[in-house]
Amino acid sequence: MFSKQEAQQLKKEFWTAFGKSFPRKWILYDTKVKDLAFKFSADNKKVEVSLDIEMKDEIFRNAYYEKIWSLEDILKDFIGDFQKEEYFTLENGKIISRIWVEKHGVSIFNKNTWQEIFEFFVEKMDGFERFYYEYEDFIKDI
């Protein structure tokens, strides 16, 4: 087990190594839609790439979710099998809508799995981005 400080240092090394291995500007928060963002996340058991729809107004959040969900089969072509939850509760209690892919059996704390994580991140985020660029006008038309 790692101390809190060691864990923080390892996380910092992980994200730095990812950035150096794949120096690319990702869309992430730059979707041109407030509170619609792509995210990477990693912990000691799994990693995820997600599209988070975080509008406070439930009507808008649901409208974006339904728009993206109407493209389910197309999205699957870009990123493979994924999970979705219209009412996803974050650790802080905030309700969002989330569409995500995850990989188990890897850990941010195991350097031997970092390359596998990096490749998963790049493949899935690239798919999400290509999907978004292709259907951006449709998705944004709310």
Side-chain angles (χ1 to χ4, degrees):
M1 202 68 198
F2 300 101
S3 71
K4 187 174 181 179
Q5 185 177 2
E6 290 169 328
Q8 285 177 331
Q9 181 60 34
L10 207 49
K11 286 178 184 180
K12 183 179 177 184
E13 287 176 30
F14 172 85
W15 291 111
T16 300
F18 176 59
K20 286 182 179 177
S21 297
F22 297 93
R24 170 178 168 182
K25 180 155 175 48
W26 301 97
I27 294 176
L28 302 179
Y29 295 93
D30 194 22
T31 61
K32 309 293 189 250
V33 176
K34 184 174 172 29
D35 297 324
L36 180 77
F38 294 97
K39 297 183 178 177
F40 295 110
S41 61
D43 63 27
N44 62 337
K45 295 180 181 156
K46 69 179 184 328
V47 294
E48 296 177 351
V49 178
S50 67
L51 171 56
D52 289 0
I53 307 166
E54 302 184 47
M55 287 94 184
K56 289 181 177 105
D57 185 322
E58 187 176 342
I59 293 170
F60 278 108
R61 188 177 71 241
N62 290 345
Y64 280 104
Y65 179 83
E66 292 298 327
K67 276 276 192 149
I68 295 165
W69 184 236
S70 73
L71 301 169
E72 171 190 10
D73 293 335
I74 296 167
L75 178 58
K76 193 172 185 175
D77 289 342
F78 280 90
I79 65 170
D81 290 331
F82 60 87
Q83 297 181 60
K84 65 177 178 49
E85 197 166 322
E86 188 171 2
Y87 301 99
F88 185 91
T89 305
L90 298 175
E91 287 181 12
N92 65 6
K94 182 178 180 181
I95 304 292
I96 68 168
S97 294
R98 176 176 277 177
I99 297 169
W100 76 97
V101 290
E102 60 187 22
K103 182 173 192 62
H104 291 268
V106 292
S107 172
I108 194 171
F109 300 117
N110 180 351
K111 289 185 178 185
N112 294 327
T113 65
W114 283 10
Q115 189 61 36
E116 188 178 350
I117 295 169
F118 296 165
E119 290 169 8
F120 174 81
F121 276 173
V122 169
E123 175 190 345
K124 299 305 181 180
M125 186 61 81
D126 182 69
F128 262 127
E129 287 186 341
R130 287 184 294 112
F131 165 80
Y132 186 74
Y133 283 135
E134 184 76 24
Y135 295 94
E136 179 176 11
D137 291 340
F138 173 77
I139 293 167
K140 288 163 101 176
D141 186 25
I142 301 277

